[in-house]
Amino acid sequence: MQDQPLLATADQPVPRNQSRIRFTGSGSEFFRIWTVNLLLSLVTLTLYWPFARARRLTFFHNHTEVQGHALGFHGNPWKMFKGHLVLLVVGGAYAALSYLWPMYQWVGLALMALVWPALWRAALGFRMRNTSWRGVRFDFEGSLPQAYKAFLPLFLPGIALNLLPLWIQNEAESVKLLGQWTLAISGLFMLFFPWLLAKVYRFQHNGYRFAQERSALALETPMLYWLFLGIIVLFIVLGVILIGIGAFLVKGLAWNPKIVVPVLGALGYFLSFIVVYSLAVVKTQNWLWSHTASAHVRLHSDLSFWRFFGYSALNWLLTLVTLGLYWPFATVRMTRLRLEAITVQIDGDIGSWVSQVNPSSSGVLADASGDYFGLDMGL
Amino acid sequence: MQDALPTTWFDGHSPQGLDVSVTLAHGQLLVQGEGVERTYALPSVRWPEKSRHGPRLCDLPDGSSLQHADPAQWDEWFERQGFCPSWVVATTLSWRAVMASVLGIAVIAVVAWRWGIPAASEWVTPQIPLPLQQRIGSQALEQIQGLWLKPTAIRSDEQARLRDRFEQMTPAAQTPKQGLHLQPPVPWRLHFYKAPALGANAFALPGGDMVLTDGMVELLRDQPDALMGVLAHELGHVEHHHGMQMVVKTSLLSALVGAVIGDAGSFLTAIPMLLATQGYSRDAEREADEAAALFLHRNHIHPRVMALVFERMRAQAKAKTQDSGTSVQDILPIGLASHPSDAQRIAFFLNWQP
């Protein structure tokens, strides 16, 4: 915890500090935290969840070392608890609505579209304001109108798809029309999806603040199109390889197709899931974080696809074999891999930075909603 | 004043740390350094959890914080002040307690699956108003209709004959004195559909809709008693609210699985969900078989007629398998079967005693 490398005197050139993020958490330690958290959550019928979450986040934050200093997590579990209760009610109501009156699901979806961007923004803000480095809180400054601009287009196709059946009669001609419309909307959505995703990423990564530093994302939308194209090509290549192997085993070696087909099918499902997941995660992380920078901070991520893919496959297998007990070890291993791929470069004397962020925190709903909607920090 | 810990203090506004020494005196925490002298009431200090690795970060109420790189040194100092870890942290630190927790989780999961969820659904399901159940049932029927069901080819007089006969048989079976059927009896509706994809089949939906496929009617045209048994089996599902119970059980189960391995993602949760719900539907089939046997017995038909149903269905399935070449059933015989094995069910009906 010494600051020597950063103390520059006036006549020296601007010091430049560059180092990899280090993750010091161990799997066995997280296993113990996870187990006790899980038991308490079950015994209390999930009421312990927010407290478990606070402990989990504290563990991961405190073991993330950026230039020799760990991140801090300051979320107040009692505040998170109130948010948890509210979301249990809201989530339950939405589930009941979509189950009992599926015709009105679009109402729920429309309401969700109205609330989601605000909640999402609040969640990210809560998380950032409760994360600190060197005692200084981060912040998120994306504005509310920007949040709506980024998220609303993502909801439109869903609402349209749910509204469609309402004005279509139950006869063969109309059903066919419905099918065509559904296909058209889905196709259009797929075409625009990378562009919409880029908008969300831009909103998120343009809003981070630490002291006077405000982050900016220089990500070009075509990059995401290339990623999507890559995933589709990967799917096709995997399929062709598996069909080739299957044909060779059945036709060439006369193996029993009753065994070959399901085994290869399961293998294909497992492989394509992990391959696609790995490619998406690795590329997104490398692009996002290598293109996020502020005036004095530069980041670079060089996560390796093959290592990530290998570890993912191993982790899934071990988690399955151990009936889930390996999961905490897998999580720690993946977190280390992803975090330690990132290099942080800071120009200048950080000691002179000053933060205006008030360390008091925001609303009750904010944090819980982040967990509920699967808030992803891109890390 | 004696036991001071040299550490680093951050004021919360500047990322520049300051060397300070920390002491405990008169229920207060004293932070002293160059140009800094602050006191904090002890209850307002958020002490870090003890763990094996990692730095200690301690939140102070004014937004400033202490950060200590050497965990062992911090913990020693902390314990010298007379603090001890909370019981949650103590449990986390002990491998023995953690292993006991793993065991506890397994026990809770099994108990909840075997007894807790069935008991809860048994209690919840009758509370759900019948119109709501019927709405859920007819929605399900509508969805299936589009996918698998086509208008029936069974002549309407045969439909009426079957429906009338079953209607005449039900009052005899629903005598309340033995208390084996749930009271009051649920209104049922019988539908006929042609369903090439489902073969000879019959199923019941929440709220009392029962569906008989043309394949089943044709399979048992020469055995009307057995066909009544099939309908009685479905009526058993209806009377036990199995459809609705399954909905409730699946919801509760997904909540449980979500709580246990929720953060592991849907890819992993799907497998335990599938296995666990199959267990429930096996139980439901057994109950419906019992209801069918009782129904036939009270109408002076020996339940052994049901054995024929299973034998014919099996023969039909075998013929089909030879046509298409592959069958999942051959590869995954018992583990994923939603019904008890045919042999068991045949034996049940053959050996049935009132």
Side-chain angles (χ1 to χ4, degrees), chain A residues 120-141:
Chain A
W120 193 92
R121 173 179 165 270
L124 192 53
F126 182 93
R127 176 70 70 80
M128 294 320 287
R129 277 189 289 282
N130 282 304
T131 299
S132 72
W133 183 61
R134 293 167 149 255
V136 173
R137 305 288 181 104
F138 286 82
D139 198 5
F140 179 72
E141 292 187 331

Side-chain angles (χ1 to χ4, degrees), chain A residues 22-39:
Chain A
R22 252 164 48 84
F23 185 74
T24 56
S26 77
S28 64
E29 186 124 47
F30 182 51
F31 174 78
R32 288 180 284 126
I33 291 176
W34 176 77
T35 313
V36 175
N37 277 348
L38 181 53
L39 181 66

Side-chain angles (χ1 to χ4, degrees), chain B residues 82-137:
Chain B
F83 293 111
C84 52
S86 77
W87 64 271
V88 174
V89 177
T91 312
T92 308
L93 286 170
S94 145
W95 270 106
R96 198 174 296 170
V98 167
M99 285 308 158
S101 305
V102 172
L103 206 67
I105 292 164
V107 169
I108 289 176
V110 169
V111 168
W113 173 66
R114 196 73 203 90
W115 295 285
I117 290 178
S121 86
E122 201 102 346
W123 177 77
V124 167
T125 310
Q127 322 283 329
I128 299 172
L130 193 61
L132 198 62
Q133 295 196 27
Q134 280 165 347
R135 185 210 293 274
I136 292 171

Side-chain angles (χ1 to χ4, degrees), chain B residues 187-263:
Chain B
W188 51 271
R189 286 174 305 279
L190 179 57
H191 307 272
F192 291 85
Y193 282 104
K194 188 185 179 113
L198 301 178
N201 216 325
F203 53 91
L205 294 160
D209 287 300
M210 297 167 13
V211 173
L212 200 56
T213 68
D214 289 8
M216 185 61 96
V217 178
E218 282 153 16
L219 188 74
L220 298 172
R221 192 163 267 149
D222 58 333
Q223 293 288 337
D225 287 351
L227 196 55
M228 289 300 117
V230 170
L231 288 177
H233 173 95
E234 299 311 324
L235 188 65
H237 282 317
V238 169
E239 290 184 330
H240 281 108
H241 298 273
H242 280 152
M244 203 57 224
Q245 280 199 17
M246 202 62 190
V247 170
V248 174
K249 279 178 183 168
T250 317
S251 313
L252 290 173
L253 194 71
S254 69
L256 178 72
V257 172
V260 176
I261 50 172
D263 22 11

Side-chain angles (χ1 to χ4, degrees), chain A residues 254-265:
Chain A
W255 285 24
N256 186 355
K258 275 188 195 174
I259 296 168
V260 171
V261 171
V263 166
L264 277 183

Side-chain angles (χ1 to χ4, degrees), chain A residues 18-22 65-67 302 340-344:
Chain A
Q18 189 177 17
S19 67
R20 255 175 210 285
I21 293 179
R22 252 164 48 84
E65 242 178 48
V66 180
Q67 301 212 336
D302 54 5
E340 296 196 341
I342 297 178
T343 310
V344 181

